[in-house]
Amino acid sequence: MMKFRFRRQGADPQREKLKQELFAFNKTVEHGFPNQPSALAFDPELRIMAIGTRSGAVKIYGAPGVEFTGLHRDTATVTQMHFLPGQGRLLTLLDDSSLHLWEIVHHNGCAHLEEALSFQPPSRPGFDCASGPLSLARVTVVLLLAAGDLAALGTEGGSVFFLDVPTLTLLEGQTLAPDDVLRSVPDDYRCGKALGPVESLQGHLRDPTKILIGYSRGLLVIWNRAAQCADRVFLGNQLESLCWERSGNTLVSSHSDGSYAVWSAGAGGSPVTQPTVATTPYGPFPCKAINKILWRNCASGDHFIIFSGGMPRASYGDRHCVSVLRAETLVTLDFTSRIIDFFTVHSTRPEDEFDEPQALAVLLEEELVVLDLQTPGWPAVPAPYLAPLHSSAITCSAHVANVPAKLWARIVSAGEQQSPQPASSASSWPITGGRNLAQEPSQRGLLLTGHEDGTVRFWDASGVALRPLYKLSTAGLFQTDCEHADSLAQAAEDDWPPFRKVGCFDPYSDDPRLGVQKVALCKYTAQMVVAGTAGQVLVLELSDVPSEQAVSVASVDLLQDREGFTWKGHERLSPRTGPLPWPAGFQPRVLVQCLPPAAVTAVTLHAEWSLVAFGTSHGFGLFDYQRKSPVLARCTLHPNDSLAMEGPLSRVKSLKKSLRQSFRRIRKSRVSGKKRAANANSKLQEANAQLAEQACPHDVEMTPVQRRIEPRSADDSLSGVVRCLYFADTFLRDAAHHGPTMWAGTNSGSVFAYALEVPAAAAGGEKRPERAVEAVLGKEVQLMHRAPVVAIAVLDGRGRPLPEPYEASRDLAQAPDMQGGHAVLIASEEQFKVFTLPKVSAKTKFKLTAHEGCRVRKVALATFASVACEDYAETCLACLTNLGDVHVFSVPGLRPQVHYSCIRKEDISGIASCVFTRHGQGFYLISPSEFERFSLSARNITEPLCSLDISWPRDTTRTSHRLRESPKLSQANGTPGVVLAPGSRDGSPGPARSKGADTPEPPEATLSPMSIDSATSADTTLDTTGDVTVEDVKDFLGSSEESEKNLRNLAEDEARACAVLIK
Amino acid sequence: MSHCSVPACDPREPAQFGAEFRRFSLDRQKPGKFEDFYNLVVHTHHISNTDVTIGYADVHGDLLPINNDDNFCKAVSSANPLLRVFIQKREEAEHCSFGAGGSLSRRRKALALREDGPRRRAHLHIGLPHDFRPVSSIIDVDILPETHRRVRLYRHGCQKPLGFYIRDGTSVRVAPQGLEKVPGIFISRMVPGGLAESTGLLAVDDEVLEVNGIEVAGKTLDQVTDMMIANSHNLIVTVKPANQRNNVVRGSRASGSSGRSSDSAASRHSLPAAPALLHLQPDDADSDDEPDVVLEGVLEPRPAPRPPPPGSQARVNGAGPAHRLLSSLRADPRHSLALPLPPGAVEEHGPAVTL
């Protein structure tokens, strides 16, 4: 080879060992609400709940912190789940009619979910046989009998099969064919020729020999398995669902016409043709089917009837409702998303006479809602986990580590004032199974998510359960168009049915301009800045009491008299004037509006200097929010870049075609990403996609995929986008005097460094004197490769990142070394470079793209603590690439340490949403509603550690059947969790893990990050938000195989423009 | 009338970056003879007793010589409206080769090579042709299989695009169990008038095997695209040409056999001295460093005024009078205020601007 590059360092065994002590890759836990849930189950004995999803994931939740995750090998929808009560075992039915038995097993004191057995019903060749009566091809319902040893499977053909659960084998001789049932029914009562599919199977709580079988056509049979005959027969209408009251004397059936019927099963032997009661609750006009009905009795007399659906077809047919009826009280719970399933938490002990339901849990497509049925008014119980992160779409996120206890308490209290906890704390969260073994986290981590509707949500990300703390809404500051609509809707709704809005999933945004683009929080002063889509930059301060005050408004013109440009995008938001009432919490102080009102692309806050810097696609500005005066505005537009000016709207027409193509490509590959077209819905989608494909011009098919090789030039479009901003106290003027500086990096590889003249605060004084802040351009660096600058950080004389504002002055971190020469680390999408300061000359660099062919998406400086040595820690640069790999580099040497494959490269929104924490963890969205948490650190791991008291004799032979060892080999959405780094893979598993395996108390060992913060610190969430960039889309387009044939080489400009719209 | 702004190195104190600036006008239509101009220059600067070379910065920012009537006319005509002329002592100018290709390291190497006798060198102008810049070369002929070709493209300025496209495809390899098809990356299109086409060393359907020493096997089209773009300032691609008839034949008769390549750089390698010359190229791993442009602002040093203008010592390796001159120019407040830079003026990758 021409180049004798020894990029891979020779294997220094000592360094390799150290690396193993520092770095380990684990995907630890999924936060948020499971995407596309499809099944629900509850174990009343263990008080744990299971949720199955359409991607085949199984998630079990108990008390906060108790979670188990499993993934079926096939990506098939979980249609039903049933707990074997008290055993910690779960039987799942997939839509391919396979049955899987999962069990929670304990290893070294910690419980894990593992798949124990699976059963694929013998399918017969030929399509016709599949619908035959004796085929098991389509299982419709499952009922567990005899304490879970036996399962009855109802099928589409009308037969009921029996299965031995411990071995998952079919009990051949016991199958109950429809003919057997019909034989027991007098000829007169046979309804038609066939009974139809088995719609419902219910067991008797006290008499295990009796099963209630409901057939789709309406026949209800109480079958006695011992006597092999029908005890009772009822003739009803087209059946949807059945419920057998606990005494066995009453049946409730719900029907497709929106009615339900109550049958008495007490006395009499002859077939019953008339129910005792039959009502259509939302009649008399045609109603939709009641999909599921529950009957629960109470000691106080009145019983609960809880059912889903049944709404009047014409007027409220599109509502997603669950009705709770008790005596005369009817509440129609009105949800914003589809109802998947619901259950009540009630007594299931056979000796109890009454159900006494405590709570109703409703699983919706987008959230889980739990109502307290014992408190009058049936209030909703706030969920400690399973929060719908996406109640409005997440537009950005940021992580704040080591939150001071004081700020934490203030945020929690603000959140409590916002949503008061129910008075009766006794009947709070009803799902309490298991014990959380994880130690109380030693430090508090806050995850901030910005949303499309202008809210910022604060989440407790310290532990396994992501708990909502506080919600900040910025919409109240602005006048939006959609304010009257709400009051109108309210007025129309107070008559019958008695609707009650429940849940918080609300994907509709009043005004897209409210969307939050960037968030920054100073954890010492409780000041934060929220920047949005219409160029609004809001400085807020935490206040413990409500207040009423006016917000001062300023605008900063970022164009700086640049001629020849007209902004054709959205208007800026018009703020409300006059004093406004603000609840306790973060209250706005200053609003800065950028002109033109393009989305803010970078923001940073320095509370010590009272400065906020912000950037858009046009330039950046610096604002002194103490004096409420602008300090600096700088236009970064290239004169040739007209695209940036026009805003997103004008490009729609000219690029319609290419847009359509890109969307189609994305959609197509999503469809093909699934293993098979699982249901009719996706088949339809596919057909639509094909139709659309045919309609498009054929010239697209002619040219193969090709890529232009051309270096970026200065006049590429959107080159002026400000990508990162950074404040540092460092040496910019000369080597002898340090001072405040501000750094800005753009999309075209330009870095501007300003020396700031900030009046020094008087000794002991918090506020600095009222003198103007000055900014002077000190340096301007043009990176020759012109790649977008992703992050800038200044390293002190020891090569460590500078601490956050106030950290050093309040003795919370080691003061930076101001003696040795400082250096600035500039990370572009292609290279990392360290330059000396104040003379900006290149010191070290790593050309990632030139070597690996991947591009940098996210970087952050993180502290990695060693598992072997208490106080050894290294600061490294963590980097996520467009291929979804995570690389770790040493700082300031920029030597590659390890790399892992983390996210599928097709998952561009996952890559765009990634956030690194300061201690080597990270989050990214695996679905709109779920964050996957991963750790790169061998020591700082946040994973579920819990135990469950399960009661069934452990059979050692069963372990040999075990199908998979670790439930967390892959994540729920199918991302492979393969570890690539040779260094950390070849050796034994991470020391933390092996330690956990040997010693009885692993949580202490793994979960305490200890005093690493004092060793090194820096604000390292350099740039964390989830914009999908042009390159993301380009990468994506290029990588999908489908696009290969019909992808024309998009001109660069086109691709850029469509990305803006996709975003 | 055209204005000439003439910063000149004071030949009496060559080590000092400081310069004299003279500004005078010339008739753009009738610039006159080079001889007259030369005399005018040396007269204006009072350096008539020294031997100097005169150069100017063209639109690409490259430092080009003025040594005869023709290039003098060219220089004057290229002035818009100012012509910036650089005057250096002749011995110094020798060290600093004209042309854009010469980056810092190259000069470093050149100095090292010349230890044996710089005097002689002044007379015998064997070596890199000074007044040309390379655009491409075939390299590593001695270590590559004959079926492969390693091509280096030098990009200067934005005027000429690299100008080629790559695509996915399948190539056939010889495997132990016979021929097998493997995915490969191919050149799919040449932009007419682009650098790639003008070299004649790359052609449509050539298979790309390596980019700057890194094999592309197993990489996606997009990865290879990104690698090429990231290396675009010094792109070295190893290809397996679709047309295998023009391959370099190794051995004694190397001369003149470099296929269709007729440019100066390529034919240079067929000279017997090729190995030595090769190393004159800035092609070792790290000298392809694209130096980032650092522009100093108008910061006054806080405690006391800083003696020299900033940037004078900014680049240790950026020595050379012309560089210093330019950097001092850039550091001049009047100039740095004129940001952003006019296209192609100073941010180009030429010797004159590696600040």
Side-chain angles (χ1 to χ4, degrees):
Chain A
M1 293 292 96
M2 173 195 64
K3 306 254 155 117
F4 297 97
R5 280 203 180 104
F6 295 103
R7 283 190 300 115
R8 310 234 177 274
Q9 299 155 286
D12 171 10
Q14 259 187 327
R15 182 66 199 162
E16 291 303 314
K17 182 168 173 290
L18 191 57
K19 276 196 218 169
Q20 282 188 23
E21 290 165 3
L22 292 172
F23 312 113
F25 183 73
N26 290 296
K27 288 187 182 176
T28 49
V29 60
E30 286 152 28
H31 294 304
F33 184 77
N35 190 36
Q36 295 189 308
S38 56
L40 178 70
F42 179 65
D43 182 348
E45 285 186 33
L46 293 177
R47 294 182 91 85
I48 53 175
M49 169 183 71
I51 293 177
T53 72
R54 284 170 64 177
S55 54
V58 176
K59 299 184 160 208
I60 297 181
Y61 301 90
V66 177
E67 310 193 3
F68 309 96
T69 304
L71 184 66
H72 287 96
R73 196 169 299 168
D74 294 328
T75 313
T77 301
V78 180
T79 54
Q80 286 184 49
M81 298 193 295
H82 298 273
F83 273 109
L84 281 60
Q87 300 180 6
R89 290 197 285 173
L90 180 74
L91 190 65
T92 59
L93 171 68
L94 305 188
D95 69 348
D96 60 359
S97 280
S98 62
L99 285 160
H100 302 261
L101 184 66
W102 295 80
E103 56 189 44
I104 294 170
V105 290
H106 285 75
H107 291 304
N108 312 303
C110 290
H112 302 275
L113 181 66
E114 293 178 1
E115 184 174 341
L117 288 171
S118 71
F119 169 73
Q120 183 74 46
S123 59
R124 302 184 185 176
F127 207 74
D128 299 326
C129 301
S131 56
L134 286 172
S135 151
L136 241 181
R138 290 279 304 163
V139 177
T140 52
V141 283
V142 177
L143 170 69
L144 288 173
L145 294 164
D149 280 345
L150 199 63
L153 312 176
T155 64
E156 200 152 60
S159 310
V160 178
F161 292 80
F162 291 93
L163 195 69
D164 178 50
V165 173
T167 56
L168 278 195
T169 49
L170 207 57
L171 299 172
E172 289 290 348
Q174 301 188 19
T175 306
L176 181 62
D179 291 343
D180 303 335
V181 174
L182 280 176
R183 230 171 281 134
S184 312
V185 177
D187 287 354
D188 324 354
Y189 301 109
R190 289 182 190 169
C191 44
K193 280 178 185 162
L195 296 171
V198 179
E199 200 65 49
S200 181
L201 285 172
Q202 299 288 319
H204 194 286
L205 195 61
R206 291 172 194 154
D207 186 350
T209 60
K210 286 184 181 171
I211 326 171
L212 172 62
I213 308 171
Y215 294 94
S216 179
R217 293 274 172 86
L219 182 73
L220 318 179
V221 178
I222 296 179
W223 184 258
N224 190 326
R225 284 187 58 236
Q228 288 291 313
C229 67
D231 277 3
R232 298 293 305 267
V233 176
F234 311 88
L235 290 172
N237 297 327
Q238 191 78 25
L239 185 73
E240 286 288 323
S241 154
L242 269 180
C243 182
W244 205 354
E245 194 243 331
R246 71 185 296 130
S247 65
N249 296 331
T250 311
L251 312 177
V252 197
S253 63
S254 75
H255 305 278
S256 57
D257 61 353
S259 67
Y260 68 84
V262 183
W263 308 80
S264 170
S270 61
V272 183
T273 52
Q274 283 301 316
T276 48
V277 184
T279 52
T280 308
Y282 295 104
F285 298 111
C287 291
K288 299 192 85 170
I290 292 180
N291 308 106
K292 178 171 177 175
I293 192 160
L294 293 179
W295 172 292
R296 299 284 180 250
N297 59 10
C298 306
S300 54
D302 296 318
H303 53 256
F304 279 96
I305 291 178
I306 302 166
F307 61 89
S308 65
M311 301 310 293
R313 191 173 285 277
S315 36
Y316 301 111
D318 55 344
R319 300 285 182 109
H320 309 289
C321 294
V322 169
S323 304
V324 184
L325 175 66
R326 187 185 188 194
E328 295 306 304
T329 318
L330 171 70
V331 169
T332 312
L333 304 170
D334 186 9
F335 298 103
T336 49
S337 57
R338 201 165 58 85
I339 293 148
I340 307 296
D341 201 354
F342 57 94
F343 64 82
T344 58
V345 180
H346 62 274
S347 161
T348 48
R349 282 177 299 176
E351 60 272 22
D352 286 348
E353 200 177 332
F354 298 102
D355 292 316
E356 288 296 347
Q358 299 163 16
L360 167 69
V362 186
L363 177 67
L364 303 156
E365 183 118 59
E366 308 290 357
E367 61 187 323
L368 179 83
V369 174
V370 174
L371 297 183
D372 180 2
L373 293 181
Q374 287 179 325
T375 310
W378 306 330
V381 183
Y385 46 76
L386 281 173
L389 292 168
H390 61 320
S391 51
S392 171
I394 294 177
T395 46
C396 68
S397 39
H399 184 269
V400 185
N402 282 340
V403 179
K406 194 178 153 200
L407 174 66
W408 189 267
R410 291 177 70 193
I411 291 175
V412 168
S413 114
E416 277 166 4
Q417 290 181 50
Q418 206 168 41
S419 54
Q421 298 291 311
S424 56
S425 56
S427 65
S428 49
W429 189 245
I431 299 155
T432 55
R435 279 194 318 279
N436 184 5
L437 300 178
Q439 211 191 25
E440 187 70 10
S442 63
Q443 55 113 341
R444 298 291 184 181
L446 199 58
L447 183 67
L448 309 179
T449 54
H451 297 261
E452 206 176 23
D453 61 355
T455 57
V456 178
R457 281 156 218 256
F458 291 63
W459 307 91
D460 175 3
S462 326
V464 168
L466 191 73
R467 190 163 58 97
L469 292 179
Y470 168 72
K471 180 176 125 181
L472 160 69
S473 176
T474 61
L477 184 63
F478 302 103
Q479 293 169 352
T480 49
D481 315 329
C482 317
E483 271 154 36
H484 315 290
D486 275 344
S487 51
L488 279 176
Q490 289 282 310
E493 262 185 25
D494 38 9
D495 45 341
W496 202 83
F499 283 121
R500 181 173 139 198
K501 288 255 180 222
V502 194
C504 61
F505 177 72
D506 176 20
Y508 306 105
S509 169
D510 287 350
D511 191 332
R513 293 177 296 168
L514 291 171
V516 175
Q517 295 290 329
K518 298 280 158 179
V519 180
L521 170 74
C522 171
K523 60 191 183 191
Y524 301 108
T525 55
Q527 290 172 338
M528 75 181 290
V529 53
V530 176
T533 308
Q536 73 270 33
V537 178
L538 201 53
V539 181
L540 306 103
E541 199 166 1
L542 184 60
S543 164
D544 299 324
V545 287
S547 72
E548 185 159 342
Q549 58 179 312
V551 175
S552 62
V553 180
S555 60
V556 173
D557 180 14
L558 294 178
L559 279 187
Q560 295 283 290
D561 310 322
R562 200 62 77 83
E563 304 258 320
F565 292 125
T566 44
W567 169 254
K568 296 177 193 160
H570 47 235
E571 294 282 297
R572 68 163 143 171
L573 286 160
S574 47
R576 289 173 205 263
T577 49
L580 294 169
W582 298 106
F586 282 92
Q587 298 172 349
R589 294 285 179 262
V590 179
L591 169 68
V592 184
Q593 292 186 295
C594 300
L595 287 180
V600 176
T601 52
V603 84
T604 184
L605 173 76
H606 200 295
E608 205 165 352
W609 304 334
S610 297
L611 292 176
V612 60
F614 44 87
T616 70
S617 48
H618 304 113
F620 55 89
L622 181 64
F623 193 86
D624 173 358
Y625 61 84
Q626 183 183 321
R627 299 184 75 243
K628 301 184 173 40
S629 68
V631 176
L632 168 78
R634 161 95 195 212
C635 182
T636 52
L637 281 182
H638 192 273
N640 300 355
D641 180 10
S642 54
L643 266 179
M645 279 313 299
E646 294 171 349
L649 293 175
S650 64
R651 262 164 282 169
V652 175
K653 272 181 204 161
S654 59
L655 293 159
K656 218 186 237 168
K657 195 170 131 195
S658 60
L659 250 183
R660 211 186 293 134
Q661 286 169 0
S662 2
F663 275 123
R664 195 180 307 128
R665 248 171 264 130
I666 290 173
R667 191 174 55 211
K668 248 187 99 175
S669 65
R670 281 205 182 134
V671 169
S672 65
K674 291 178 181 168
K675 273 192 177 165
R676 77 201 104 161
N679 50 21
N681 197 12
S682 65
K683 273 180 192 151
L684 195 73
Q685 270 179 13
E686 236 178 7
N688 281 343
Q690 274 170 7
L691 269 179
E693 211 61 58
Q694 284 164 8
C696 82
H698 288 276
D699 58 346
V700 180
E701 263 87 338
M702 303 296 285
T703 42
V705 193
Q706 54 175 6
R707 294 275 182 271
R708 198 164 76 117
I709 306 300
E710 215 56 75
R712 265 172 296 277
S713 69
D715 47 352
D716 276 347
S717 63
L718 296 177
S719 60
V721 178
V722 177
R723 291 292 294 271
C724 59
L725 289 161
Y726 178 69
F727 284 117
D729 182 1
T730 187
F731 301 90
L732 188 63
R733 297 161 187 267
D734 55 78
H737 303 84
H738 62 91
T741 59
M742 185 194 80
W743 299 74
T746 73
N747 235 9
S748 58
S750 297
V751 175
F752 304 91
Y754 283 82
L756 307 179
E757 195 73 56
V758 182
E766 279 288 289
K767 297 257 171 178
R768 56 181 170 78
E770 291 289 314
R771 258 195 300 135
V773 175
E774 281 168 39
V776 186
L777 180 63
K779 297 272 192 318
E780 198 180 319
V781 181
Q782 174 62 60
L783 298 178
M784 259 308 162
H785 58 287
R786 292 191 183 282
V789 178
V790 201
I792 301 171
V794 171
L795 310 172
D796 73 1
R798 287 182 292 255
R800 296 201 188 117
L802 297 183
E804 283 176 70
Y806 282 119
E807 227 171 29
S809 62
R810 296 190 177 178
D811 288 333
L812 295 158
Q814 201 180 4
D817 178 10
M818 294 308 223
Q819 305 306 317
H822 280 198
V824 61
L825 165 66
I826 297 179
S828 78
E829 285 193 2
E830 292 187 352
Q831 312 185 352
F832 308 116
K833 273 189 162 171
V834 173
F835 297 88
T836 56
L837 284 178
K839 283 163 202 148
V840 180
S841 62
K843 211 162 93 179
T844 51
K845 69 168 179 212
F846 186 80
K847 296 164 109 182
L848 184 71
T849 307
H851 289 156
E852 314 282 338
C854 54
R855 297 173 65 84
V856 178
R857 283 286 170 265
K858 301 279 169 179
V859 291
L861 288 164
T863 305
F864 292 86
S866 163
V867 278
C869 177
E870 282 297 295
D871 47 4
Y872 182 77
E874 281 185 20
T875 300
C876 294
L877 182 73
C879 151
L880 176 76
T881 69
N882 63 336
L883 303 179
D885 297 343
V886 175
H887 297 243
V888 178
F889 297 88
S890 64
V891 171
L894 298 181
R895 297 221 171 263
Q897 302 295 307
V898 288
H899 68 282
Y900 310 101
S901 161
C902 179
I903 310 176
R904 283 178 307 131
K905 69 176 178 214
E906 294 83 10
D907 185 6
I908 51 172
S909 59
I911 292 173
S913 65
C914 181
V915 172
F916 288 105
T917 76
R918 274 173 53 165
H919 301 300
Q921 296 198 14
F923 300 88
Y924 67 92
L925 288 172
I926 49 175
S927 71
S929 57
E930 280 168 297
F931 273 114
E932 171 79 50
R933 187 179 191 127
F934 62 91
S935 50
L936 300 168
S937 162
R939 177 142 130 210
N940 185 14
I941 299 171
T942 305
E943 59 183 344
L945 292 170
C946 46
S947 72
L948 203 60
D949 293 320
I950 51 179
S951 57
W952 55 283
R954 190 99 196 118
D955 186 355
T956 45
T957 59
R958 209 165 275 146
T959 50
S960 59
H961 295 294
R962 195 166 299 139
L963 290 180
R964 63 173 52 192
E965 262 304 310
S966 164
K968 199 55 190 153
L969 273 178
S970 44
Q971 94 195 44
N973 68 349
T975 309
V978 183
V979 178
L980 277 189
S984 53
R985 189 197 190 165
D986 297 342
S988 58
R993 290 302 181 86
S994 54
K995 202 168 171 185
D998 300 334
T999 54
E1001 63 266 308
E1004 284 75 25
T1006 50
L1007 265 180
S1008 49
M1010 265 159 285
S1011 59
I1012 42 178
D1013 319 307
S1014 55
T1016 36
S1017 61
D1019 187 8
T1020 50
T1021 47
L1022 291 171
D1023 182 25
T1024 49
T1025 38
D1027 292 338
V1028 176
T1029 65
V1030 174
E1031 283 73 20
D1032 288 330
V1033 176
K1034 272 203 290 194
D1035 294 342
F1036 177 74
L1037 296 184
S1039 56
S1040 70
E1041 278 182 17
E1042 277 72 27
S1043 64
E1044 197 176 307
K1045 284 176 196 136
N1046 46 13
L1047 171 61
R1048 191 223 312 251
N1049 181 54
L1050 289 171
E1052 228 168 357
D1053 294 353
E1054 275 185 327
R1056 266 164 210 283
C1058 53
V1060 170
L1061 280 167
I1062 290 167
K1063 175 178 95 173
Chain B
M1 288 300 260
S2 159
H3 296 282
C4 287
S5 157
V6 185
C9 215
D10 190 332
R12 283 159 298 192
E13 296 174 18
Q16 194 174 332
F17 82 92
E20 295 176 31
F21 293 86
R22 296 283 188 279
R23 208 175 162 118
F24 54 87
S25 14
L26 287 172
D27 190 337
R28 189 189 283 270
Q29 264 65 45
K30 278 189 278 176
K33 295 270 180 207
F34 166 72
E35 201 72 6
D36 301 337
F37 176 69
Y38 183 89
N39 289 333
L40 174 68
V41 167
V42 293
H43 175 74
T44 326
H45 286 267
H46 311 294
I47 45 171
S48 30
N49 52 347
T50 0
D51 230 5
V52 295
T53 54
I54 303 179
Y56 72 104
D58 74 346
V59 288
H60 304 287
D62 295 337
L63 187 60
L64 298 180
I66 300 178
N67 50 18
N68 57 40
D69 291 350
D70 288 341
N71 54 24
F72 175 52
C73 280
K74 176 90 174 105
V76 173
S77 64
S78 75
N80 60 333
L82 232 58
L83 176 65
R84 201 174 285 151
V85 176
F86 301 89
I87 302 160
Q88 288 174 278
K89 230 169 149 177
R90 177 140 297 165
E91 299 91 80
E92 257 176 54
E94 310 257 290
H95 292 238
C96 166
S97 52
F98 285 112
S103 77
L104 306 173
S105 59
R106 173 169 155 191
R107 200 163 345 78
R108 242 184 283 135
K109 290 278 160 57
L111 280 169
L113 196 82
R114 234 180 301 164
E115 276 165 14
D116 52 345
R119 289 286 134 75
R120 210 160 11 113
R121 174 105 188 172
H123 305 288
L124 282 170
H125 275 278
I126 301 173
L128 290 176
H130 280 199
D131 301 350
F132 297 89
R133 72 161 104 86
V135 287
S136 65
S137 51
I138 299 185
I139 54 176
D140 295 334
V141 182
D142 46 344
I143 54 172
L144 281 178
E146 285 183 9
T147 52
H148 296 179
R149 180 186 298 161
R150 185 165 289 164
V151 178
R152 173 174 191 151
L153 298 176
Y154 304 82
R155 206 180 71 92
H156 302 287
C158 308
Q159 305 315 99
K160 210 167 195 181
L162 275 177
F164 65 102
Y165 290 72
I166 57 170
R167 64 167 168 87
D168 280 325
T170 44
S171 105
V172 180
R173 291 276 153 76
V174 186
Q177 60 273 28
L179 294 178
E180 64 174 16
K181 282 189 171 178
V182 291
I185 304 287
F186 295 86
I187 294 176
S188 64
R189 190 151 82 85
M190 294 291 200
V191 176
L195 182 60
E197 191 204 39
S198 67
T199 66
L201 299 179
L202 299 172
V204 170
D205 289 337
D206 287 0
E207 183 182 359
V208 178
L209 303 172
E210 288 177 1
V211 175
N212 287 55
I214 294 159
E215 286 191 35
V216 304
K219 292 204 160 53
T220 65
L221 183 64
D222 291 292
Q223 277 175 281
V224 178
T225 307
D226 285 337
M227 285 166 64
M228 286 189 171
I229 292 175
N231 286 308
S232 60
H233 283 272
N234 177 35
L235 184 62
I236 301 166
V237 281
T238 309
V239 293
K240 189 176 163 197
N243 177 0
Q244 289 281 340
R245 277 172 298 175
N246 291 325
N247 290 339
V248 178
V249 181
R250 236 179 285 153
S252 54
R253 46 173 226 83
S255 149
S257 59
S258 51
R260 294 145 62 194
S261 64
S262 53
D263 66 278
S264 61
S267 51
R268 203 168 58 230
H269 291 292
S270 53
L271 293 172
L277 281 168
L278 245 180
H279 291 286
L280 280 179
Q281 300 297 316
D283 62 357
D284 35 308
D286 275 332
S287 66
D288 60 343
D289 227 346
E290 313 104 28
D292 306 308
V293 179
V294 180
L295 298 170
E296 301 286 340
V298 286
L299 274 185
E300 286 104 36
R302 229 174 333 174
R306 205 144 32 129
S312 56
Q313 299 144 356
R315 305 283 304 203
V316 187
N317 50 357
H323 298 259
R324 293 196 196 139
L325 269 176
L326 254 190
S327 67
S328 65
L329 269 180
R330 299 300 318 165
D332 188 313
R334 285 166 301 158
H335 293 273
S336 46
L337 284 177
L339 298 172
L341 308 161
V346 201
E347 76 251 64
E348 291 314 327
H349 176 211
V353 287
T354 49
L355 299 177

